[in-house]
Amino acid sequence: MLKRADIILMAFCTGLIVANIYYCQPLVVLIAKDFNLTETNAGKITYLTQIGYALGLFLLVPLGDMFERKKQILIITGLAIFALLLAALSHTFFILEIASVLIGACSIVPQLILPLAANLSTDENRGANIGMIMSGLLVGILASRAVSGSIGFWLDWRAVYYIAAGICALLIILMAKRFPQSYPAFKGTYKELMRSMFGYIKSQPALRETSIINFLAFAIISAFWTTMVLFLANPPFNFQTLQIGLFGIAGAAGALAAPLVGKLSDGGNPRKNLMIGFILQLLSIVLFYFTGSHLYLFIIGIVLIDIAQQAIHVTNQTRIYTLVPEARNRLNTIFMSVSFIGASCGSALGLWLWGQGGWTLFCYGMTGITLINILIYKFYGQRKFTNGSN
């Protein structure tokens, strides 16, 4: 059984590593100037990083059901250092695009830590432990934007990647000393491992539901954090990278919601938390729509949309870990791969909506996606779930 200190350490490492995926978002304006690109074109690195993350999830995370997890975590973190240094040293945008994909693919360590924690937790505290680690993950996501925006403003966008590589090097030492070992039960080949995932998609309706809902939820949150950079960098605000990055701090309230959602997801009917998330998403979009020049509405909207994301994501992740205990890495692979494909699609969609109709069209598009998610929730709610997948 994991001790509280173990969970705190896992949350700490998860937050610092997942930050690699999001450092680029506030830096888009600086990167566009450096490579003489439009902000929309420079913004491609945001969804290329997410595509890389989805590829890493699909190809690498299942190995956690096949090999010793601690060793896999250390190796992949080492590869992340190489990818971050490649980004820092890139002298063409094409090299930065390649580095962005690699950074995403090598930043899947949080999705190895979560199944490790779930595997070593009891049924009674699994949701709470996942919620606490998810708090670390969310803090990492939000703090990464503020930190990268500040460093990019005072130093240079390349300095962000150098510092991130140094952080990962320190984490390898820490994880090597403190992380517990965990040996999986799967004895087959990699081909058999991958083939088994498709069987779970077919046999587990709750896995299908959680994955589809998370696809759309991640599309919304990713579209927002990508597009808000352009919204704040243009009139009437004309904010610089430093100021834009600081808005990530406003979303830290979502981190406080994660442990509570995790506890609510232990037993009973955790699906009810999803509707809370959908309602909060709609409220946040309304506030974004009416922001105008009133930044307090925008800040409240950030708080609500991040709490909403936690309500949806922690609930769904806790649900899938109750399905097939011996296949937690594979289930997490399916779930998170679909989620980050949604994230990359959301970033691309957000940039497109911004280009076509600005912030107003963006708000319309996000409202439509939320309503589609509610319909999917209602559809699956009419079906009977078993084996803890309610």
Side-chain angles (χ1 to χ4, degrees):
M1 179 178 174
L2 289 173
K3 298 178 181 178
R4 184 174 180 83
D6 297 323
I7 296 298
I8 293 173
L9 174 62
M10 289 180 172
F12 179 75
C13 294
T14 296
L16 287 174
I17 295 174
V18 78
N20 294 339
I21 308 170
Y22 300 97
Y23 286 134
C24 63
Q25 291 181 349
L27 303 176
V28 167
V29 176
L30 294 177
I31 291 171
K33 291 179 180 178
D34 194 5
F35 290 108
N36 195 26
L37 300 169
T38 65
E39 293 172 356
T40 301
N41 284 335
K44 290 193 296 183
I45 63 169
T46 61
Y47 60 81
L48 287 174
T49 305
Q50 290 158 347
I51 289 173
Y53 193 75
L55 290 172
L57 286 168
F58 186 75
L59 298 173
L60 300 177
V61 170
L63 293 173
D65 285 335
M66 190 173 179
F67 298 120
E68 199 279 311
R69 293 182 174 97
K70 177 180 176 180
K71 183 177 181 180
Q72 184 188 12
I73 287 171
L74 297 176
I75 291 173
I76 294 177
T77 305
L79 294 173
I81 295 173
F82 167 79
L84 289 163
L85 291 175
L86 180 63
L89 295 168
S90 59
H91 294 292
T92 67
F93 187 67
F94 178 68
I95 297 297
L96 181 59
E97 289 177 305
I98 294 174
S100 296
V101 174
L102 293 177
I103 288 170
C106 297
S107 297
I108 50 87
V109 168
Q111 303 310 322
L112 297 173
I113 293 175
L114 280 163
L116 174 64
N119 191 56
L120 297 174
S121 300
T122 64
D123 292 338
E124 290 74 22
N125 63 13
R126 182 172 294 114
N129 287 347
I130 291 172
M132 185 173 291
I133 295 174
M134 285 300 301
S135 292
L137 185 144
L138 182 61
V139 169
I141 292 172
L142 299 172
S144 66
R145 298 183 178 109
V147 169
S148 67
S150 300
I151 295 173
F153 177 80
W154 292 111
L155 299 177
D156 180 68
W157 66 266
R158 298 177 190 275
V160 175
Y161 290 103
Y162 281 122
I163 293 172
I167 291 173
C168 285
L170 292 174
L171 289 181
I172 286 180
I173 297 172
L174 185 62
M175 293 187 294
K177 290 183 176 181
R178 296 292 304 274
F179 269 27
Q181 291 184 315
S182 176
Y183 293 93
F186 186 83
K187 302 298 181 182
T189 65
Y190 182 70
K191 182 178 180 180
E192 292 169 339
L193 185 77
M194 299 299 287
R195 184 185 300 148
S196 68
M197 289 198 300
F198 295 97
Y200 291 127
I201 295 173
K202 182 178 180 180
S203 65
Q204 300 292 332
L207 177 61
R208 296 196 296 272
E209 182 201 15
T210 55
S211 297
I212 295 170
I213 287 176
N214 248 49
F215 175 95
L216 295 174
F218 266 62
I220 291 172
I221 194 71
S222 182
F224 168 72
W225 283 109
T226 298
T227 310
M228 63 88 74
V229 175
L230 306 181
F231 175 61
L232 295 175
N234 284 276
F237 304 110
N238 297 311
F239 287 158
Q240 295 180 324
T241 301
L242 172 63
Q243 296 165 303
I244 294 171
L246 291 175
F247 279 85
I249 298 174
L256 301 177
L260 175 61
V261 174
K263 290 179 181 179
L264 293 174
S265 299
D266 286 327
N269 178 18
R271 288 187 81 250
K272 64 182 181 294
N273 297 332
L274 297 176
M275 184 54 72
I276 296 173
F278 299 145
I279 292 171
L280 291 176
Q281 279 182 334
L282 288 174
L283 287 175
S284 68
I285 295 168
V286 170
L287 292 173
F288 294 147
Y289 182 80
F290 288 105
T291 290
S293 61
H294 305 294
L295 275 179
Y296 69 91
L297 293 179
F298 190 76
I299 293 171
I300 295 172
I302 291 177
V303 173
L304 291 181
I305 200 170
D306 277 290
I307 294 176
Q309 180 68 12
Q310 286 306 293
I312 295 169
H313 181 66
V314 174
T315 296
N316 280 336
Q317 194 148 42
T318 301
R319 289 172 67 200
I320 67 166
Y321 285 148
T322 66
L323 300 178
V324 188
E326 67 274 14
R328 285 190 173 118
N329 273 73
R330 280 168 283 170
L331 296 179
N332 197 49
T333 291
I334 298 165
F335 174 70
M336 290 305 302
S337 294
V338 172
S339 297
F340 269 85
I341 291 171
S344 62
C345 291
S347 292
L349 177 62
L351 292 170
W352 182 82
L353 290 172
W354 171 266
Q356 296 299 311
W359 192 245
T360 299
L361 185 60
F362 167 79
C363 291
Y364 289 152
M366 296 307 102
T367 300
I369 293 175
T370 304
L371 294 176
I372 292 172
N373 230 353
I374 292 174
L375 291 175
I376 293 170
Y377 169 83
K378 292 293 186 181
F379 170 77
Y380 276 94
Q382 297 173 357
R383 306 178 66 173
K384 186 176 181 180
F385 292 105
T386 59
N387 192 26
S389 58
N390 45 332

